[in-house]
Amino acid sequence: MFGKLSLLVLQQYWYIIVSLLGSILVFLFFVQGGQTFLFRIGKSESERTILVNALGRKWEFTFTTLVTFGGAFFASFPLFYATSFGGAYWVWMLILFAFVIQAVSYEFRTKASNFLGKRVYENFLFINGLLGTFLVGVAVATFFSGSQFSLNEMNNVSWANGAHGLEAALNPFNLSLGLAVFFLARVLGLLYFMKTIDNDNIIARSKKELIRSALPFVASFLLFAVWLMLRKGFAVNPDTGEVFMEPFKYFHNLMAMPWVLVMFIMGVLAILGGIASGLLSDSGNGIWFAGPGTILVVFSLFMLAGLNDTAFYPSSYDLQSSLTIQNASSTHYTLVAMSWVSLFIPFVLTYVIFAWRALNKKKIDEKEMQEEHHVY
Amino acid sequence: MLDSIDMSLVDWSRGQFALTAMFHWIFVPLTLGLSFIVAFMHTIYVRTGDEEWKRITKFWMKLFGINFAIGVATGIILEFEFGTNWSNYSWFVGDIFGAPLAIEGILAFFLESTFIAVMFFGWNKVSKRFHLTASWLTAFGASLSAVWILVANAWMQHPVGTVFNPDMARNEMINFWDVIFSEVAVNKFLHTIGSSFLLASIFVIGVSAYFLLRKKEVLFAKRSTVIASVFGVMAAIGTIATGDTSARIVAREQPMKFAAMEALYEGQTHAPLVAIGAMRTDTTRFPHPREEFIFKIEIPNALSYMVFLTPSGFIPGISDLVYGNEEHNYMSYEERIERGAVAIQTLKELKKAKERGDQVSYEALREKFSDPIWIDQYYQHFGFGYYKGRELRELIPNVKVNFYSFHVMVILGGHFLIFTMLVLWLSLKNRWGNHKWLLWVAMITLPMPWIASQAGWVLAEMGRQPWVVYELMPNITAVTRLKPAAVQITFWIFLLTFTLLFIAEIRIMLSQIKKGPEGE
């Protein structure tokens, strides 16, 4: 089945899978967004415990999706993995560090003799929510703004400056996406609280916070989106493989791929609808709009970055070192082998959803926190 | 052959990888083994409905959870570190290495992380049967997670199923099954999993001994010990058997590692096995530095017999490998360096011909990389080419470290077999716990499998130095070109963070153990 597909089709197939994982990851950042509210919304110990436990049953999904996203990117586009991780060293190291301290915090926070104290683990969760989301946004923005690297004849990377990726966080364009992802994660976190927690104080405070996160999200995202449409992009000549700057490239991509335009608009509307639902109704269903909306928007951004003869990981330092899905991918053989495994993805999604529902049948409340055997 | 490379960059990058990998490996084997022991206990509870078994399951499950969290925390670094610190390697092997990693993510990680939540939170939320299934799926997910990373490691130790593509300057997979079912991969998986089960068994026996010594929770402790000792004996036998096979494979595929772990400098037939020994460094003899035994106890002929099943088998020493041995057909390293340099030069010329658009020369050079004879004569030595103009001793692994790691591992392995058999025998006769000193032995034995397990990895990884991909890519070309200071900073950050988390984990574990299964 897969063996008969051309290399280009397989490259596109895997770019779509990786993009899908990236989009789901941003949706699952509701865990990180929620973590930034432990102190603002959880005014008492018991409220904080409810918040931590509501998030604690889901943090593994986000974490695993991040790991799988990295693995799938390595597998399908190893040159991206080698170039970006080795080059933008500091950005990735900081992101990793933010996730290292998250992984222990849920389990260790309330345990006796936990050495660092409850508050430190709560702060770890806050740092993870702040740094993890912001820096991933900045890193993804470099897909459009470019990075400072070059590759030699062995395809080995050299970075043109000593900041090794940190310079990306000073670029206002990258910053706008970083902030947008951070505030979007917070919006999603609040909507998740409204859906899963049964506690009047928490719901009321979440509602109040929602508008405070939604406005900066809309502002930073609007800035990013308009800027993206207006800026020059990294285009590839399909005949020669030569990379060149094209004015309004990403706008052209949007027009050339109407299905992406539709997804993008639907996604934006769904996120706004989710926010409106959270503000105006008590149903708690806002997450059902904003969540899928996030996936659609992020997915369409990935499509704009990599399809339609575009370099998805461009170098602003040495244009011809830019990575495209064609020059950065694994071989036909490896992509075919992996594609067979990808058939398991629907099966994996099914059991994830099944297990998720089995544990979320009932809303989390204070009573459960007192009775439950395993509480974070 | 190589642009200037700062060796301190290589050392710090290796140091950081070793640090993060060894920290990770403190927690992983316990996760692998304990998950199955817990699933087994859980099964007995569901089958018998005996509340005591529920308490037992919950207690060990709690320790499992604490350990699992820190295993995850230390694991994420490793996946990305291949890219951040070994980016040239990532590209060189990405076509092979990436696929197992992606499969691992899709098949194993989600299985583990989804059902672990059901396992912990499912007691009152899902049916008994589904809950038990979740415990088993968590255990299988954990072991499955180990398969792929071990396949990747095995490939680095013994590259198979691939060809080198000079246009892309990378290795490309041509046979997936050769990669995952290579003898090295299968044996490595069995040995690693077996030793992890053994480690977890000894952990359960040791912790239970603590309760027996205090005469608390006696029924709980005895039942836990029976389960663990059955597991332990099977795991010990399996670990020793696969360890033996592993040594034979190393002797054949990585003779330098084999010579180093026995500190054998001059090859011989009827080679003896050094049972125990101590050594000091002599810098006056070749190849220097050279480790000389201060004392040793040898078993005559045993080394030759172990490898060839006959005492007349010839085991090459370090000198035979470095300087060559015509009689036994070992090419000298100098010759291999020359041949590797030819392969590297051919690759460079091919790139130049391509740039010039000189199609004829390009085709001729390209042809070489698909000619089996040329590959055998030149490309096979590719990695050696980078050592032209460098010192030969860079190609010899650290003998002392390998010798001691190997012997510590083997001696402890023997102890574990005798120990678990004794515990099982006494448990079955219901006499385990009658002798206080034996309980103390169990407590003292508790940390030992960690030493053995870490020693095993030290041997596997230090023994193959300087190769990242065996004889094809040395660490000096694999490393990401960063400022050594950058790697130093992250090294110290990780050391500090992991140490703090480690202390926290140990304290939490101890306090949970002291609390015991009360209130479960």
Side-chain angles (χ1 to χ4, degrees), chain A residues 67 71 81 85 89 331 333, chain B residues 79-80 95 111 125 170 176 490:
Chain A
V67 171
Y81 182 89
F85 287 73
Y89 186 76
T331 55
Y333 182 90
Chain B
E79 184 197 6
F80 291 91
D95 195 56
L111 194 66
K125 290 195 176 65
R170 68 171 172 189
F176 180 68
T490 48

Side-chain angles (χ1 to χ4, degrees), chain A residues 11 27 46 119 126 141 164 178 182-183 195 239 243-244 259 261 263 269-270 285 322 328 347 353 356-357:
Chain A
Q11 286 161 336
F27 160 52
S46 72
R119 198 75 180 189
F126 181 83
H164 276 284
F182 170 66
F183 284 109
K195 178 74 199 164
D239 300 323
V243 180
F244 62 97
W259 57 279
L261 178 66
M263 283 171 100
L269 291 178
N285 284 333
S322 298
F347 171 68
I353 292 168
W356 182 310
R357 289 171 64 112

Side-chain angles (χ1 to χ4, degrees), chain B residues 202-203 206 415-416 419 440-450:
Chain B
I202 289 173
F203 173 77
H415 167 61
F416 300 149
F419 172 71
W440 276 108
V441 170
M443 297 266 288
I444 293 163
T445 304
L446 197 153
M448 290 182 188
W450 271 269

Side-chain angles (χ1 to χ4, degrees), chain A residues 325-371:
Chain A
I325 61 172
Q326 273 137 305
N327 69 16
S329 90
S330 285
T331 55
H332 189 268
Y333 182 90
T334 293
L335 292 178
V336 168
M338 283 161 44
S339 297
W340 284 108
V341 179
S342 73
L343 294 178
F344 282 96
I345 291 176
F347 171 68
V348 172
L349 277 176
T350 310
Y351 73 63
V352 167
I353 292 168
F354 179 69
W356 182 310
R357 289 171 64 112
L359 292 181
N360 266 43
K361 267 185 259 167
K362 200 175 128 309
K363 287 198 175 195
I364 298 172
D365 57 19
E366 218 166 323
K367 194 162 148 263
E368 185 185 342
M369 292 299 99
Q370 285 153 8
E371 289 170 357

Side-chain angles (χ1 to χ4, degrees), chain A residues 31-97:
Chain A
V31 172
Q32 272 63 26
Q35 284 168 190
T36 62
F37 283 116
L38 294 187
F39 300 114
R40 282 191 81 87
I41 291 184
K43 296 290 180 197
S44 67
E45 269 314 313
S46 72
E47 283 171 2
R48 267 203 288 285
T49 299
I50 293 178
L51 294 179
V52 169
N53 277 275
L55 298 169
R57 293 171 194 191
K58 302 291 172 251
W59 78 269
E60 287 249 13
F61 287 120
T62 316
F63 202 92
T64 308
T65 308
L66 173 67
V67 171
T68 306
F69 174 70
F73 230 140
F74 186 11
S76 40
F77 301 100
L79 193 54
F80 164 76
Y81 182 89
T83 305
S84 179
F85 287 73
Y89 186 76
W90 283 112
V91 173
W92 291 112
M93 276 296 173
L94 279 172
I95 291 176
L96 290 179
F97 182 76

